[in-house]
Structure formats: C-alpha cells, structure tokens
Amino acid sequence: MKRLGIMLSAILLLSTASQAADLGWNSGTSPIYSPTPATGWSGFYAGVNGGFGWGTLTRRPAAGIETQNNSNGWQLGGQVGYNMDMGGFVVGAEADLQWANIGYSEDIPGIGSFKSGIDFYGTVRGRAGMSFGPVMPFVTAGFAAGRGTTSITTNPGNVTTSQSATHMGWTIGAGLEAKATDNISFKAEYLYVDLGAQPYNGLPVGNLDVAQRFSVVRAGVNYKF
C-alpha cells in the first residue's frame, strides 16, 4: 500500500506539471501573464476642457490707494501634450489655450463703469504622475501668459475707453486623469494662475497697474493618438 501511494503521488505530480506546461505558465508567451502593462500612458494626445475661475484683481493707480476685488468667470479651451510612461511613473508636457471671461466690474460714482478681466490665456507646463492601472494622479507647473482688457465707460454719452495688455507669469496645480478606453481619457484638474501686473495707460481715471491672479477648476477629455 505504501508503494502504491508513492506511485499515485508521482503520477499526480507529473500530470499537474504537464498541464502547467500546456497552459504556458512558465513561458514568456503566457496568455495569463504579460510583462507589457495593459494601460500604457505613453504617446501624444489632444483634447478639450471647460471650467470656472475665481481670483483677485488688484488695481494700483499712479496716484492713489491700491484696491483688490474678487474676480470670477468661465473658461473654455483645448490642450495638446505628450506622456512618457516609465513603468508606473509618467512624465510629460502639456500646452493649452483658453478663452476666458474671468474678470470684475463695478460702477464708479460720477464717472460711469469700470471693467477689467482676462480675455484669453495659455500655459506651457510639465506634468508628472503615478499610474495605477487606468488612473493617474498628477502634479503640473509651468509658464502662463494671457491678454487682459481694462475699460472705462463714462456718462453721459456712454463712451467706452479700453486698453489691452499682455500678462506673463506662472501656474501650478494638480489633477486626476482616468482612461475610459485605450485612446480616450477624462481628467479633472485645479490650476493656480499668477499673471502678474501690467500697466494700462490712457484711461479716463488715469494710468493703472492691474494684476490678475486666479484659480481654475476644470474638466476635460483627451484622445491619445
């Protein structure tokens, strides 16, 4: 009986090993295991986004007291970028251009109305994240620039005098991107944008230095080529 048990055990072990070999468990072409990640992030992509911005508009007259006012508004735009997946750690670069109406307006007693805001802005940023399968949290930072417009509408006559200026500064933020398919992903991100101060001269109230600083929360969709 003892010898019969040993023989049965040996036959069972050989049979199991043979089945394992047939399934390819010990080969590099196994249908169960593959060294290639199922959801790689490497490649070029492009997409669209939309969101809401809020911040602070600072006015500094040539002669007078500096004032700060809350600004807000919507933004809509698109982005292009490239990711390089290094086995779970993803680095890349992204550029975007946004149409915006983030600004502030008020009535000025005895003069008319004041309005100032950002018409459009763009950023060029580096991105770095960690991939967890189809999900990637990331951080981002880089250069920002935008065009601002400040105007005064005087009464009576309803005459509007406006000036535009190019603002330059920086941005930093974080977000989360998730794949719906191999080519389509959705993202949500927060950016803080500091466009600094620029002079607006020739206005009815005199020359002004206007600074634009705001936060943006936006969502978007990307297509990877």
Side-chain angles (χ1 to χ4, degrees):
M1 291 294 293
K2 184 177 180 180
R3 291 182 179 180
L4 179 61
I6 294 173
M7 292 177 62
L8 290 174
S9 298
I11 293 170
L12 180 61
L13 287 172
L14 290 172
S15 175
T16 303
S18 176
Q19 291 176 10
D22 290 340
L23 288 173
W25 288 355
N26 296 318
S27 69
T29 58
S30 167
I32 297 176
Y33 168 77
S34 172
T36 303
T39 54
W41 288 89
S42 292
F44 290 96
Y45 63 88
V48 294
N49 71 81
F52 184 77
W54 71 97
T56 302
L57 183 146
T58 303
R59 290 176 289 176
R60 185 182 300 111
I65 300 174
E66 178 181 293
T67 59
Q68 290 187 344
N69 299 100
N70 294 330
S71 61
N72 59 73
W74 295 93
Q75 62 103 74
L76 181 68
Q79 67 273 346
V80 295
Y82 178 80
N83 287 323
M84 183 168 59
D85 191 337
M86 297 186 293
F89 181 61
V90 181
V91 295
E94 182 174 289
D96 65 272
L97 182 63
Q98 313 294 137
W99 170 82
N101 68 341
I102 303 172
Y104 167 79
S105 62
E106 68 172 343
D107 292 330
I108 303 175
I111 297 178
S113 61
F114 168 87
K115 183 177 181 181
S116 184
I118 293 295
D119 303 318
F120 61 85
Y121 73 95
T123 70
V124 178
R125 295 170 284 110
R127 295 205 315 170
M130 295 293 295
S131 66
F132 299 92
V135 178
M136 179 182 67
F138 63 86
V139 293
T140 183
F143 170 79
R147 189 188 74 176
T149 298
T150 295
S151 64
I152 302 287
T153 301
T154 56
N155 295 320
N158 202 35
V159 177
T160 299
T161 303
S162 67
Q163 298 290 336
S164 295
T166 300
H167 293 248
M168 295 186 183
W170 54 272
T171 182
I172 189 170
L176 183 72
E177 191 163 356
K179 287 192 172 188
T181 69
D182 286 342
N183 300 101
I184 298 174
S185 62
F186 295 92
K187 72 170 184 174
E189 65 184 348
Y190 164 82
L191 291 179
Y192 176 76
V193 183
D194 187 335
L195 291 179
Q198 286 295 321
Y200 291 78
N201 301 324
L203 297 170
V205 295
N207 299 337
L208 295 174
D209 283 345
V210 178
Q212 304 276 3
R213 299 178 178 92
F214 54 91
S215 296
V216 171
V217 173
R218 62 192 187 188
V221 58
N222 286 323
Y223 182 85
K224 189 181 81 169
F225 298 97

